[in-house]
Amino acid sequence: MQKVHPRLHVGDESDCSPTGRDWAVVHACKFPCHRNAVGYRKSPRKSNPHYLSKEDGNDLYLNMIDPEQPLFQREMFEDFFSFVNRRLENENRLLIHCNQGRSRSPSLALLLLATHTDEVPSGSFVEAREVFKGLYPKYQPSRGIQSYLQNNWDDLLDIP
């Protein structure tokens, strides 16, 4: 787990459960976190109310995979910002993790910093990515999330 801002941390699957009640966790991975939280074996049905996300206390589980052709949906990012905004108001520390801590979770952290701070610029994804790499050198966005963020940057910045 690496701190990228005073109350914001990025991690991988090994960081999944920080101790302490002041933590809020965004689990940006389908397997194992979303699958275990929602309770399915292969894939959840699209009719499941928790198909994209499930909030449970201080945890948000996102059905987030990162193939080369992006499958992300705006609603997933809306759920992310809604959860994060409420947790930051409560002064929680926030951990965003995915399986390897290189693509999905740091991309969400980058988006959060671009919308909530002056530390990461919001002008374009490319500009934000370069600045964020200085805060989190392990950032290696895959083609899927990189393409989605580039093509939807302005729309995503309007969510918070």
Side-chain angles (χ1 to χ4, degrees):
M1 178 182 340
Q2 181 181 331
K3 183 187 286 189
V4 294
H5 200 260
R7 291 182 7 226
L8 177 60
H9 300 75
V10 176
D12 60 29
E13 196 174 320
S14 69
D15 302 312
C16 186
S17 299
T19 57
R21 291 185 303 191
D22 63 333
W23 281 97
V25 181
V26 175
H27 307 267
C29 49
K30 177 178 184 167
F31 177 80
C33 299
H34 183 266
R35 184 178 83 172
N36 291 342
V38 176
Y40 57 90
R41 288 183 185 215
K42 293 186 180 184
S43 224
R45 296 178 189 259
K46 289 185 179 183
S47 61
N48 186 315
H50 302 296
Y51 177 74
L52 292 177
S53 67
K54 179 180 181 182
E55 187 173 330
D56 186 6
N58 277 345
D59 293 278
L60 177 67
Y61 301 93
L62 297 173
N63 182 5
M64 196 172 240
I65 61 171
D66 195 8
E68 286 197 26
Q69 292 298 318
L71 297 175
F72 305 104
Q73 296 180 31
R74 179 185 166 94
E75 184 181 338
M76 190 178 293
F77 292 90
E78 291 170 351
D79 293 347
F80 167 74
F81 277 117
S82 174
F83 175 83
V84 166
N85 289 335
R86 285 183 276 116
R87 293 310 177 271
L88 292 176
E89 285 175 9
N90 292 339
E91 299 196 10
N92 289 107
R93 288 186 288 170
L94 180 65
L95 166 65
I96 305 171
H97 86 85
C98 59
N99 298 106
Q100 297 177 358
R102 292 189 300 219
S103 185
R104 289 166 288 175
S105 59
S107 291
L108 290 173
L110 175 155
L111 191 56
L112 182 61
L113 291 174
T115 57
H116 287 69
T117 73
D118 293 330
E119 203 164 327
V120 172
S122 59
S124 73
F125 168 69
V126 173
E127 183 183 18
R129 180 188 64 205
E130 294 312 309
V131 170
F132 185 75
K133 282 183 178 182
L135 299 172
Y136 193 76
K138 293 190 294 187
Y139 186 42
Q140 296 176 346
S142 71
R143 284 188 204 183
I145 198 153
Q146 185 164 261
S147 170
Y148 186 83
L149 291 176
Q150 273 185 297
N151 293 333
N152 297 283
W153 185 251
D154 292 334
D155 185 46
L156 293 170
L157 294 181
D158 287 340
I159 294 173

